[in-house]
Amino acid sequence: MFENGLTDVDTSDPYQVCAKFYLYLPPCCVCDTSLDIEGCFHLDGAEWFAAAAEYIKNQGWQCMPRREANIYDVRLWCPKCWSARILDDQVLQPKDLWRAEAYKRFQEFVRLFNECKCDTPYLLWFQLRDVFHEAYEAPKNTDLIQRIYDYAWWCIDQPQEENLEDDLTTCISVAFFEHISQTEAALEDMPNWFTREDVTRMKYIFSYMVSEEGFELILKQYDKS
């Protein structure tokens, strides 16, 4: 993290913060992609930072800022492999893998995730849940539905955390699975994504929001020819 002293930098723009510290950034630790802002070296001061920020943005790098007291922290996502790092130490924190994976799988929603400040798995899944239900509106977006389910199973496959706020399996259960059957089209589509055995085993989750009556309606989808 970097303490105060970002002279000439508009700290409301995380890309300018990246520009200030790019000299200390080695290439991406996964795919070796480098930041390139050499085209604005002829500028100076605030103009340099503004131009450098545009260069970084146009290359597809994604930034997520976080302000905490007098500390400014920027997480940076590689445009090629979507691995993430914190500017000052090049470390991808394990608990942040969910974010890097989401940005990789849902590049069309990166701006939405940033604007909604999805700093936790729950906040991100609240957005994905809305996107999921909208995907069932005509014309049905099967590709997006598939990607959301795939990401959910990826989250479930991650190591379990002791803190429930960080545990991705708990997050998926609470923020996604419990709400699937609340949209009729998603309810009718459940046999394409879960077996009857899955549903029975996960009864507590699937019935939590819709009660016993709603759970029986889920089971009826498996009785249709």
Side-chain angles (χ1 to χ4, degrees), residues 157-168:
D157 286 340
Q158 302 313 298
Q160 190 167 10
E161 299 285 345
E162 292 184 7
N163 185 344
L164 293 182
E165 292 182 359
D166 296 325
D167 183 57
L168 294 179

Side-chain angles (χ1 to χ4, degrees), residues 201-213:
R201 186 177 66 254
M202 298 164 65
K203 178 179 179 180
Y204 178 80
I205 295 171
F206 286 128
S207 64
Y208 188 82
M209 297 296 294
V210 296
S211 72
E212 186 69 29
E213 183 179 352

Side-chain angles (χ1 to χ4, degrees), residues 125-126 129-130 132-133 149 171-184 186-187 190 205-210 218:
W125 269 101
F126 292 157
R129 186 177 70 204
D130 291 341
F132 173 80
H133 289 299
Y149 271 118
C171 173
I172 298 305
S173 299
V174 172
F176 181 45
F177 284 167
E178 288 181 359
H179 300 268
I180 290 174
S181 63
Q182 292 180 314
T183 294
E184 183 176 359
L187 166 67
M190 286 183 68
I205 295 171
F206 286 128
S207 64
Y208 188 82
M209 297 296 294
V210 296
I218 294 175

Side-chain angles (χ1 to χ4, degrees), residues 60-101:
W61 292 85
Q62 294 291 334
C63 298
M64 175 77 76
R66 183 184 67 185
R67 293 177 182 80
E68 184 175 307
N70 66 335
I71 300 297
Y72 195 98
D73 172 312
V74 175
R75 289 179 173 82
L76 185 67
W77 281 268
C78 173
K80 184 175 180 180
C81 70
W82 288 93
S83 62
R85 51 181 161 163
I86 298 175
L87 278 185
D88 58 339
D89 57 15
Q90 180 79 358
V91 174
L92 171 60
Q93 302 293 335
K95 66 180 181 180
D96 283 343
L97 284 172
W98 59 269
R99 194 201 321 266
E101 188 68 21

Side-chain angles (χ1 to χ4, degrees), residues 16-223:
Q16 290 201 27
V17 178
C18 288
K20 181 172 180 66
F21 294 100
Y22 89 99
L23 288 174
Y24 305 101
L25 282 172
C28 173
C29 56
V30 177
C31 70
D32 210 35
T33 298
S34 299
L35 279 171
D36 176 16
I37 57 176
E38 294 182 4
C40 51
F41 280 166
H42 63 288
L43 300 173
D44 195 13
E47 286 186 336
W48 185 89
F49 287 113
E54 284 303 309
Y55 267 77
I56 296 171
K57 198 177 303 183
N58 291 338
Q59 290 175 67
W61 292 85
Q62 294 291 334
C63 298
M64 175 77 76
R66 183 184 67 185
R67 293 177 182 80
E68 184 175 307
N70 66 335
I71 300 297
Y72 195 98
D73 172 312
V74 175
R75 289 179 173 82
L76 185 67
W77 281 268
C78 173
K80 184 175 180 180
C81 70
W82 288 93
S83 62
R85 51 181 161 163
I86 298 175
L87 278 185
D88 58 339
D89 57 15
Q90 180 79 358
V91 174
L92 171 60
Q93 302 293 335
K95 66 180 181 180
D96 283 343
L97 284 172
W98 59 269
R99 194 201 321 266
E101 188 68 21
Y103 276 51
K104 177 181 177 181
R105 292 173 181 264
F106 307 104
Q107 296 185 25
E108 70 269 49
F109 298 120
V110 166
R111 181 181 294 275
L112 171 66
F113 297 154
N114 285 343
E115 289 177 348
C116 296
K117 300 179 180 178
C118 297
D119 292 333
T120 71
Y122 285 88
L123 292 176
L124 184 138
W125 269 101
F126 292 157
Q127 298 302 320
L128 276 182
R129 186 177 70 204
D130 291 341
V131 167
F132 173 80
H133 289 299
E134 290 171 2
Y136 278 96
E137 298 175 1
K140 179 180 176 181
N141 191 338
T142 304
D143 172 72
L144 179 56
I145 294 167
Q146 171 81 64
R147 284 188 285 140
I148 293 173
Y149 271 118
D150 287 347
Y151 179 51
W153 292 118
W154 178 90
C155 289
I156 289 173
D157 286 340
Q158 302 313 298
Q160 190 167 10
E161 299 285 345
E162 292 184 7
N163 185 344
L164 293 182
E165 292 182 359
D166 296 325
D167 183 57
L168 294 179
T169 297
T170 302
C171 173
I172 298 305
S173 299
V174 172
F176 181 45
F177 284 167
E178 288 181 359
H179 300 268
I180 290 174
S181 63
Q182 292 180 314
T183 294
E184 183 176 359
L187 166 67
E188 295 174 351
D189 198 30
M190 286 183 68
N192 290 321
W193 306 101
F194 302 94
T195 65
R196 179 185 284 269
E197 290 72 22
D198 290 334
V199 170
T200 302
R201 186 177 66 254
M202 298 164 65
K203 178 179 179 180
Y204 178 80
I205 295 171
F206 286 128
S207 64
Y208 188 82
M209 297 296 294
V210 296
S211 72
E212 186 69 29
E213 183 179 352
F215 183 73
E216 289 300 319
L217 191 58
I218 294 175
L219 291 179
K220 287 183 180 178
Q221 307 308 310
Y222 292 84
D223 297 329

